[in-house]
């Protein structure tokens, strides 16, 4: 694992509330409930999916409710955000695009939620300079159009102050019973302000929805598990990157095994592709581990794994100066760790 752990890495698909480590969960429980933890269940079975276990996609979405309970106050949310960034930095992630849906509850408004996350990211910029963090506020499609519009209103108002951090918008959440076409006017408002689009796309078999997303224009494809035929050809022709999350897809049973993962098909056909964690806390993994699994399962060399990180920089919603800095870090690693 040494190579994968030491390799500077690019993470383009990570959800805040799905990326809480056991240590962070324990601290959040303690902060919210005290040492006796009254009213708070153990995280085993409520949040994390252990190795060797899997469940369907609907059940996987239920895991986030536990994290939402532990981040329903500004101080808890700030602690969680900083802890997640620290965990990625400790895994030698040098660029992170974090996603989260603003949530309102008794402890804070949606505005408070998003502002807390943004302020924490800005604060961490000084305390952990090794990692560059961006935010993709997420529209949870299961909450409906009115809430989606409310989220975009909030994103656009805060983007004026945090344009260096808010770089795009994510569409995620349980897709069942919703239509992508209903969200097009909402997403178009963000697109008109030059925010990038990272859409969860092709998570279930619906070729018509994939076509609609491509017609609308997505800058990256979240998962893309069931994209086939002409839509797959379109993605390649237009060089739309796929964000592949190996363990996530295996544990949510959208693919049968690592060897059956669509990464292999995409890689062999020359598609744009990167490896991501999705929710490293829920799926009990790290980006280092995902790259090691990718290398072992699909027989990729260290040079090819390094190349995946170079390609991920190209797909990042970063500025040209930021991309240049990231490439310098990777090149230094290559010169020191991968001599010719």
């Amino acid at each position: 694992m040494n190579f994968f752990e030491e390799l500077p890495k690019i993470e383009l698909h990570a959800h805040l509330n799905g990326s809480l480590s056991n240590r962070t969960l324990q601290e959040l429980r303690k902060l919210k409930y005290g040492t006796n933890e009254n009213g708070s269940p153990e995280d085993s079975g409520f949040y994390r999916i252990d190795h060797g276990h899997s469940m369907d996609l609907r059940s996987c979405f239920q895991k986030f409710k536990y994290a939402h309970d532990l981040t329903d106050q500004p101080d808890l949310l700030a602690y969680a955000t900083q802890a997640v960034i620290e965990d990625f930095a400790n895994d030698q992630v040098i660029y992170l695009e974090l996603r989260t849906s603003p949530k309102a509850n008794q402890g804070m408004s949606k505005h408070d939620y998003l502002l807390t996350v943004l302020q924490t990211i800005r604060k961490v910029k000084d305390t952990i300079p090794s990692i560059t963090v961006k935010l993709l506020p997420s529209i949870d499609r299961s909450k409906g159009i009115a809430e989606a519009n409310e989220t975009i209103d909030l994103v656009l108002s805060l983007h004026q102050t945090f344009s260096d951090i808010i770089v795009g918008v994510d569409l995620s959440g349980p897709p069942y019973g919703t239509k992508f076409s209903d969200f097009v006017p909402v997403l178009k408002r963000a697109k008109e302000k030059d925010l990038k689009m990272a859409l969860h796309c092709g998570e279930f078999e619906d070729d018509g929805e994939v076509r609609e997303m491509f017609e609308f224009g997505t800058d990256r494809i979240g998962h893309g598990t069931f994209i086939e035929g002409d839509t797959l050809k379109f993605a390649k022709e237009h060089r739309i990157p796929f964000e592949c999350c190996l363990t996530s897809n295996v544990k949510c049973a959208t693919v049968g095994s690592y060897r059956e993962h669509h990464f292999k098909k995409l890689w062999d056909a020359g598609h744009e592709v990167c490896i991501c964690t999705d929710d490293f806390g829920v799926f009990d993994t790290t980006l280092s581990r995902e790259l090691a699994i990718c290398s072992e399962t699909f027989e990729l060399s260290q040079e090819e794994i390094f190349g995946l990180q170079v390609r991920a920089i190209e797909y990042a919603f970063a500025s040209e100066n930021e991309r240049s800095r990231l490439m310098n870090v990777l090149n230094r690693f290559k010169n020191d760790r991968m001599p010719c």
Side-chain angles (χ1 to χ4, degrees):
M1 282 291 294
N2 283 350
F3 170 78
F4 304 102
E5 290 170 346
E6 294 171 6
L7 174 67
K9 290 173 282 291
I10 312 298
E11 171 64 82
L12 300 181
H13 189 131
H15 298 273
L16 173 59
N17 284 293
S19 300
L20 305 179
S21 67
N22 285 341
R23 175 187 59 80
T24 301
L25 289 170
Q26 291 166 7
E27 289 301 317
L28 288 170
R29 281 203 308 268
K30 204 177 296 182
L31 288 168
K32 182 169 183 179
Y33 295 108
T35 54
N36 60 0
E37 299 177 7
N38 288 334
S40 177
E42 293 295 328
D43 39 294
S44 179
F46 288 88
Y47 181 75
R48 190 178 61 249
I49 306 174
D50 294 320
H51 286 286
H53 293 84
S54 64
M55 54 184 60
D56 63 32
L57 189 60
R58 289 178 186 268
S59 299
C60 285
F61 279 113
Q62 297 299 314
K63 293 287 179 181
F64 295 97
K65 292 183 178 180
Y66 182 55
H68 296 163
D69 174 66
L70 293 178
T71 57
D72 64 353
Q73 299 166 26
D75 59 332
L76 299 174
L77 179 61
Y79 182 92
T81 303
Q82 179 161 334
V84 166
I85 295 170
E86 287 175 352
D87 285 337
F88 273 112
N90 289 336
D91 192 37
Q92 300 305 315
V93 172
I94 59 173
Y95 179 87
L96 167 64
E97 290 183 9
L98 205 54
R99 308 173 184 214
T100 193
S101 299
K103 301 166 189 66
N105 50 55
Q106 289 185 342
M108 58 184 163
S109 66
K110 278 189 173 185
H111 179 274
D112 294 336
Y113 184 103
L114 192 54
L115 184 61
T116 297
V117 174
L118 288 164
Q119 289 175 334
T120 305
I121 291 173
R122 181 158 285 173
K123 173 186 171 186
V124 168
K125 185 177 182 180
D126 296 324
T127 58
I128 316 176
S130 64
I131 185 170
T132 298
V133 184
K134 305 294 183 180
L135 186 68
L136 306 182
S138 183
I139 292 174
D140 182 345
R141 59 191 293 174
S142 71
K143 302 298 183 183
I145 305 303
E147 190 157 327
N149 269 305
E150 185 182 342
T151 296
I152 290 300
D153 286 341
L154 178 58
V155 169
L156 295 181
S157 67
L158 286 172
H159 181 249
Q160 299 175 34
T161 306
F162 295 94
S163 59
D164 58 322
I165 298 175
I166 299 176
V167 292
V169 171
D170 170 37
L171 178 70
S172 60
Y176 315 107
T178 66
K179 294 191 300 181
F180 172 74
S181 57
D182 291 339
F183 292 90
V184 168
V186 185
L187 293 168
K188 188 176 180 182
R189 293 173 55 207
K191 199 171 185 180
E192 287 172 347
K193 296 297 182 180
D194 295 324
L195 289 173
K196 298 290 188 179
M197 294 288 122
L199 307 180
H200 281 62
C201 177
E203 285 191 280
F204 64 113
E205 295 184 78
D206 188 339
D207 190 63
E209 173 166 294
V210 173
R211 289 175 184 273
E212 289 176 355
M213 288 185 172
F214 285 178
E215 287 172 6
F216 171 74
T218 183
D219 296 287
R220 292 200 309 259
I221 297 165
H223 299 293
T225 316
F226 296 100
I227 298 178
E228 300 284 353
D230 289 342
T231 47
L232 188 63
K233 182 180 178 181
F234 182 96
K236 183 177 181 181
E237 289 175 349
H238 291 80
R239 301 191 65 207
I240 309 173
F242 285 75
E243 303 158 352
C244 285
C245 309
L246 304 179
T247 297
S248 167
N249 295 156
V250 171
K251 288 193 173 184
C252 285
T254 54
V255 301
S257 68
Y258 288 115
R259 290 196 175 279
E260 297 172 79
H261 198 279
H262 53 288
F263 172 86
K264 173 66 172 173
K265 171 183 67 180
L266 298 171
W267 177 259
D268 287 348
H271 283 265
E272 307 298 324
V273 62
C274 58
I275 297 294
C276 309
T277 56
D278 199 9
D279 304 282
F280 79 74
V282 169
F283 300 118
D284 193 21
T285 190
T286 63
L287 187 51
S288 294
R289 189 174 297 153
E290 294 301 290
L291 292 173
I293 290 169
C294 182
S295 176
E296 180 179 355
T297 304
F298 306 112
E299 299 181 348
L300 269 62
S301 66
Q302 289 186 357
E303 288 76 14
E304 288 171 318
I305 293 295
F306 179 87
L308 279 173
Q309 301 314 295
V310 173
R311 292 167 72 170
I313 292 175
E314 298 175 16
Y315 314 148
F317 300 157
S319 69
E320 288 304 316
N321 285 339
E322 288 167 336
R323 285 183 181 148
S324 179
R325 289 200 303 270
L326 295 171
M327 272 307 309
N328 287 339
V329 174
L330 276 173
N331 285 331
R332 284 198 300 270
F333 174 85
K334 185 175 184 180
N335 293 335
D336 295 342
R337 186 69 167 76
M338 302 170 64
C340 297

